Amino acid sequence: VMVLGNDVWLPAASELEVPELNITTMPLLAAAHQLGRFCDNQCKEFMLCHQETLKDPRKCLAEGKAVTECGLEFFRQIKRHCALPFERYLNCFEKRSTSYNRPAYCRREQGPFDDCVRQHLGQERPPPGYFSKIRLHDSQRPRPPVPPAPMPQRIEERDLDSVTEPPGTPDPLFAFNSRDTSEEGQRRAREWLRLNKERTTSRNFVPPAGDSSE
């Protein structure tokens, strides 16, 4: 159960009422390419609103209604002008409902349907990969304000010169300082590498006297 306070705005029930697209899955699959092309701008506007408002559905009701209305208008046009070729194409889809490559088996029925859409709706069937391409969308909706990003807590400043290692702890800088070619520097580098190797390979490693780093 989700509890909401009085300060949370919820749309009225009348704002949520919209004519639904009462069709099953197969007509949507058969008309998917042409429907996506017909309602391309409405769909992109809705998804842009969805992303800019941090996926708040309350702020994109108008854009969602526009997508549904566009789908209704598309199928009205198909019913008015292309009912017969679409019905034949749909029947082929239903017969091939168990195949993952349905369009490949229905090219003969797809051609007349695409020709009818081209003639009466004035649009071409989108080429393969059209909907996966990056495309610019010119939106007339004003950009919503972007909330400031949360900043991490400030780290307390420390005087690094005052930080000292416990006595007996090898200095790791000596292991990687190629300029320290003195005998003492090389000895401390070898000692540091040996201690770190023992730390990583032995579970029962006992640090030498004075080494409090473990």
Side-chain angles (χ1 to χ4, degrees), residues 26-44:
M26 281 302 166
L28 288 174
L29 288 175
H33 291 82
Q34 297 286 6
L35 173 61
R37 187 68 173 267
F38 189 81
C39 302
D40 196 15
N41 288 330
Q42 290 85 348
C43 291
K44 288 190 292 187

Side-chain angles (χ1 to χ4, degrees), residues 66-135:
V67 173
T68 305
E69 178 59 32
C70 180
L72 288 169
E73 179 60 26
F74 172 79
F75 281 103
R76 291 192 195 104
Q77 296 291 334
I78 294 298
K79 184 178 180 180
R80 183 179 300 115
H81 302 291
C82 305
L84 183 58
F86 180 67
E87 183 179 357
R88 292 173 178 172
Y89 187 40
L90 175 59
N91 290 336
C92 179
F93 255 69
E94 291 179 339
K95 292 178 181 178
R96 301 287 183 176
S97 60
T98 59
S99 173
Y100 289 100
N101 195 20
R102 280 184 291 262
Y105 294 104
C106 302
R107 299 302 186 193
R108 183 176 60 182
E109 293 80 7
Q110 175 189 323
F113 172 60
D114 290 342
D115 292 339
C116 182
V117 172
R118 184 187 307 110
Q119 178 181 356
H120 295 283
L121 275 69
Q123 73 173 29
E124 296 284 345
R125 183 181 181 88
Y130 172 81
F131 295 105
S132 61
K133 293 181 179 179
I134 298 177
R135 294 169 289 141

Side-chain angles (χ1 to χ4, degrees), residues 5 14 16 31 44-45 47 67-68 74 92-93 116 118 121 126 134 157 160 175 177 187 200 211 214:
S14 58
L16 303 178
K44 288 190 292 187
E45 186 68 28
M47 293 307 301
V67 173
T68 305
F74 172 79
C92 179
F93 255 69
C116 182
R118 184 187 307 110
L121 275 69
I134 298 177
E157 295 184 1
L160 299 180
N177 191 353
R187 185 192 67 78
T200 56
D211 187 1
E214 288 289 323

Side-chain angles (χ1 to χ4, degrees), residues 107-182:
R107 299 302 186 193
R108 183 176 60 182
E109 293 80 7
Q110 175 189 323
F113 172 60
D114 290 342
D115 292 339
C116 182
V117 172
R118 184 187 307 110
Q119 178 181 356
H120 295 283
L121 275 69
Q123 73 173 29
E124 296 284 345
R125 183 181 181 88
Y130 172 81
F131 295 105
S132 61
K133 293 181 179 179
I134 298 177
R135 294 169 289 141
L136 296 178
H137 174 62
D138 184 15
S139 175
Q140 304 300 321
R141 183 173 45 84
R143 181 189 295 270
V146 180
M151 299 299 293
Q153 296 182 354
R154 183 178 180 85
I155 301 177
E156 180 183 359
E157 295 184 1
R158 299 180 60 186
D159 185 5
L160 299 180
D161 296 334
S162 63
V163 178
T164 58
E165 294 288 343
T169 303
D171 187 356
L173 293 179
F174 281 97
F176 306 100
N177 191 353
S178 59
R179 292 177 297 178
D180 188 11
T181 57
S182 64

